[in-house]
Amino acid sequence: MSETTTMPPPAPQPSARCATVEDLARVRERLAKVEGGHDNLREGLNTLSVQFSDLRRDLTRTVADNAARTRREIMGRVDDMTDTATVRDSEISGRLARIEGGLKLTSWMTMTFIVLATGLLGWGQIGDAAWSLCRRAFGYGP
């Protein structure tokens, strides 16, 4: 038997179709909607860009203002601490000056007493020696 092979029928070719005026109108209408949406997106992005720039500017200004205020507060506290330390230093210096003055006075008084005592003892010895000399000279002593 002979086999017969049959070929499948050729696939139908798409038929070429011409656009009508209504089709063109619909395509133009869709294109206009897409272009309008694109314009709206562009305007929205521009608006967002402006808002973002404003936000960044405001945040930068706020951060700078807060930093300046913090610096002022810290410097104010440092100035207060410096003033307090200066007052304490002057009080301590005054106390030390009074103590030093007291020590100088005490030292002067001690030295004066030592000089007077030494002088009196010296004069006493000189007087004793002169008295002994006079007693011997006038024959009252050994």
Side-chain angles (χ1 to χ4, degrees):
M1 246 188 143
S2 84
E3 256 183 55
T4 58
T5 50
T6 59
M7 300 262 309
Q13 294 292 327
S15 62
R17 178 175 164 224
C18 294
T20 63
V21 174
E22 290 90 16
D23 291 337
L24 285 176
R26 275 194 297 267
V27 169
R28 284 186 183 140
E29 185 179 322
R30 285 184 187 165
L31 182 62
K33 285 181 183 179
V34 169
E35 287 177 347
H38 185 263
D39 291 342
N40 286 339
L41 285 175
R42 184 179 297 132
E43 289 174 12
L45 285 174
N46 287 340
T47 302
L48 285 175
S49 177
V50 169
Q51 289 174 348
F52 182 74
S53 294
D54 292 346
L55 177 64
R56 185 176 59 220
R57 182 195 65 229
D58 293 343
L59 283 174
T60 303
R61 183 179 301 140
T62 301
V63 167
D65 291 346
N66 285 339
R69 184 171 48 246
T70 302
R71 261 193 310 278
R72 282 192 303 271
E73 289 174 2
I74 289 172
M75 291 311 294
R77 290 178 186 168
V78 167
D79 290 342
D80 291 344
M81 290 170 57
T82 302
D83 293 344
T84 302
T86 302
V87 168
R88 286 181 185 165
D89 286 349
S90 64
E91 288 176 1
I92 290 170
S93 294
R95 289 178 186 168
L96 289 174
R98 285 192 300 275
I99 291 170
E100 185 179 349
L103 289 175
K104 284 182 180 179
L105 178 64
T106 303
S107 176
W108 181 82
M109 288 175 54
T110 303
M111 287 303 295
T112 303
F113 178 75
I114 290 172
V115 167
L116 287 176
T118 305
L120 289 176
L121 288 174
W123 281 109
Q125 288 177 349
I126 291 172
D128 283 343
W131 181 253
S132 286
L133 184 65
C134 287
R135 275 185 22 196
R136 282 187 200 155
F138 295 116
Y140 292 110

